[in-house]
Amino acid sequence: MSRSLRRGALAATAVVFSIASLAACGAGQDAQTLQIKPDNAAATKGEIEVQNALVITQGRKGEKGPAVVSATLFNNGTKAQTLDGITLPGGKGKVTLKAAEGSGKVTVPALGSVVIGGKGNASAVIEDGAATVRDGEVQKVVFQLSSTGGVELEAFVVPATGMYAPYGPTVAPAATPAAGGTPSGSPSGSPSGSPSGSPSGSAAGTPSGSPSHSAGH
């Protein structure tokens, strides 16, 4: 065989070997490792995993009002735990927790999860968030569990825009008196002149609490 033919045969063999190697490598990969994972804060301690943790501020720059903590907590244990508190070490903001049901403690069920942030979920509101955290910064957050103790991580601070808007803080509208100063619920013999949906000023519009789309356990 001539030298040129030998070089051609060797090159073809190398190409075939390379393709086979790539195919074998791809087949050996876990499917989950090929998925794009969010670059949000996550931490694990004992049986508790905290994923997709974020601090979300008001949607507009410089806007005053509360901020919120958004995250998903997973309990890999066989006993339920309660989330007894969330703190921001070094910060001045107080975090108020509220269960999705509106009362009682936030519970992380055994072999289950709980979402903090978003409509219909538990909530963690940072009072006076505008004075406590700033967009673009990284904020240390500690999740205090009943059995596991504190789970600490550093979360990005982002505004409630785009994909984060459904999980951001909202402020209840100020109460507006009904026309003529008459309470909307007072009995009257004449047809009511006030719309049945007049602003009441209640906090019902405040999100009760992921990636999101949940965190993606």
Side-chain angles (χ1 to χ4, degrees):
M1 183 182 294
S2 67
R3 184 176 301 176
S4 60
L5 289 176
R6 283 198 301 271
R7 283 201 300 268
L10 289 173
T13 302
V15 170
V16 171
F17 179 78
S18 298
I19 295 174
S21 299
L22 288 173
C25 180
Q29 290 281 353
D30 187 332
Q32 293 183 350
T33 64
L34 302 179
Q35 297 175 358
I36 298 175
K37 298 183 179 180
D39 190 24
N40 295 336
T44 301
K45 182 178 180 182
E47 298 170 335
I48 296 295
E49 294 180 37
V50 180
Q51 294 187 10
N52 276 8
L54 290 166
V55 175
I56 307 177
T57 64
Q58 298 289 327
R60 290 178 290 183
K61 186 176 181 181
E63 185 175 358
K64 295 182 179 180
V68 296
V69 176
S70 177
T72 301
L73 280 67
F74 296 91
N75 182 358
N76 297 314
T78 56
K79 293 183 179 180
Q81 294 196 44
T82 57
L83 177 61
D84 295 334
I86 298 178
T87 58
L88 309 178
K92 300 177 182 178
K94 177 183 177 182
V95 182
T96 302
L97 280 174
K98 186 177 180 182
E101 297 78 13
S103 62
K105 290 189 174 182
V106 177
T107 301
V108 190
L111 301 176
S113 63
V114 64
V115 177
I116 309 295
K119 186 176 181 180
N121 300 320
S123 64
V125 180
I126 306 171
E127 299 176 9
D128 197 13
T132 305
V133 294
R134 294 183 179 179
D135 295 339
E137 294 183 344
V138 174
Q139 173 65 52
K140 186 176 293 185
V141 182
V142 179
F143 296 81
Q144 194 68 35
L145 281 300
S146 56
S147 298
T148 300
V151 182
E152 182 178 306
L153 48 75
E154 292 186 338
F156 290 115
V157 181
V158 299
T161 57
M163 63 183 292
Y164 303 118
Y167 307 97
T170 60
V171 179
T176 303
T182 305
S184 59
S186 62
S188 172
S190 60
S192 172
S194 301
S196 59
S198 58
S200 60
S202 69
T206 303
S208 58
S210 164
S212 315
H213 181 87
S214 75
H217 179 49

